[in-house]
Amino acid sequence: MYQFNGVVFDTRPVFKLSQLEEIRQNRETYLQELEKQYEEKKKELYSLKIIDLPRWKKLQEETIDSFENEYQLNKEEILAYSDPTTLKNSKYYNTCREQIDAVSSPDREKMFAAWKNYTELKSKNNADPKGVMARFDAKMNDPQKEDYALIDLIGLGFHNCANSSFRQKRDDEGTSYKDFDKIFTKLKRTCDEP
């Protein structure tokens, strides 16, 4: 199950205008690729044989939940880069209302204000807060400032909000491996060490 812990799908992060344009132009292809990956990985995940103990059943349920949510989040992001109003129907609307309302509002000034607030908040946790705000100011004065705002508010703000709403806090992986090892009387390990 550990191969399903974390990022499961080939994602298309958007940090630059060229990546935003690419995802807009290839939206249908990317959605089809995501759906294909989803179906393949779902078949594999749902068919795994799990140790019949509560700890492992719970881990399986959490893994399936994260998998389904990650798929949904990726799908919503691909759609939102072309049409931010699609996020109004997001599974994560109640959790991430602030980000969604900002990017889906017809009032662009509301979106820009939310973008500035988000950037100011994030700059406080950065080693170079003045540099973060200088880059923001440059983007805010760019003719494509609306696209820059979408990149930050969807790709960072919404994504991080939604992602943190479903990622389970895992027990220490070492503990799980030790518990797994206890089930067997003889184990053979293959290591990369010389």
Side-chain angles (χ1 to χ4, degrees):
M1 269 191 302
Y2 288 103
Q3 74 257 29
F4 293 99
N5 191 7
V7 178
V8 178
F9 301 98
D10 295 337
T11 59
R12 304 202 185 280
V14 177
F15 298 110
K16 300 186 290 188
L17 291 175
S18 60
Q19 293 167 321
L20 178 64
E21 191 56 36
E22 181 183 327
I23 208 162
R24 286 174 171 166
Q25 288 177 353
N26 299 301
R27 181 185 67 211
E28 293 306 316
T29 301
Y30 291 166
L31 287 169
Q32 289 170 2
E33 289 172 3
L34 176 64
E35 187 67 27
K36 182 179 177 194
Q37 285 181 33
Y38 170 75
E39 291 301 330
E40 289 170 357
K41 292 173 188 265
K42 179 180 178 179
K43 183 177 178 181
E44 183 182 350
L45 175 60
Y46 281 71
S47 67
L48 287 175
K49 303 289 185 225
I50 303 300
I51 298 167
D52 193 17
L53 292 172
R55 174 188 183 106
W56 299 102
K57 295 283 187 187
K58 183 177 184 242
L59 183 60
Q60 180 186 32
E61 289 171 13
E62 291 172 352
T63 302
I64 287 171
D65 185 57
S66 286
F67 170 80
E68 294 292 345
N69 276 290
E70 184 179 331
Y71 163 71
Q72 186 64 36
L73 176 57
N74 278 285
K75 185 176 179 180
E76 289 183 15
E77 283 182 351
I78 291 170
L79 292 169
Y81 281 122
S82 294
D83 181 6
T85 62
T86 60
L87 290 178
K88 285 285 194 184
N89 299 315
S90 172
K91 174 180 184 172
Y92 311 103
Y93 182 76
N94 289 331
T95 306
C96 307
R97 181 185 309 254
E98 184 179 337
Q99 294 87 351
I100 292 172
D101 285 348
V103 297
S104 62
S105 173
D107 180 358
R108 297 290 83 183
E109 291 309 313
K110 179 180 178 179
M111 181 177 76
F112 296 140
W115 179 33
K116 182 176 183 178
N117 289 339
Y118 173 79
T119 306
E120 286 173 342
L121 182 66
K122 291 300 173 189
S123 74
K124 293 176 184 174
N125 296 323
N126 191 287
D128 182 16
K130 289 181 182 177
V132 170
M133 292 313 297
R135 286 187 294 280
F136 168 80
D137 289 338
K139 290 175 182 177
M140 187 63 170
N141 292 314
D142 190 282
Q144 291 184 283
K145 66 183 176 184
E146 192 171 320
D147 286 339
Y148 281 118
L150 288 177
I151 289 170
D152 285 354
L153 291 173
I154 293 173
L156 299 174
F158 168 72
H159 177 88
N160 291 340
C161 173
N163 193 44
S164 67
S165 75
F166 65 81
R167 291 284 179 208
Q168 300 294 323
K169 288 187 172 56
R170 300 273 185 218
D171 290 342
D172 178 36
E173 255 187 35
T175 305
S176 295
Y177 283 123
K178 287 176 188 172
D179 288 348
F180 182 78
D181 290 352
K182 289 177 187 175
I183 296 170
F184 301 96
T185 56
K186 185 177 179 183
L187 291 174
K188 181 179 178 183
R189 296 187 182 178
T190 306
C191 300
D192 292 336
E193 298 175 19

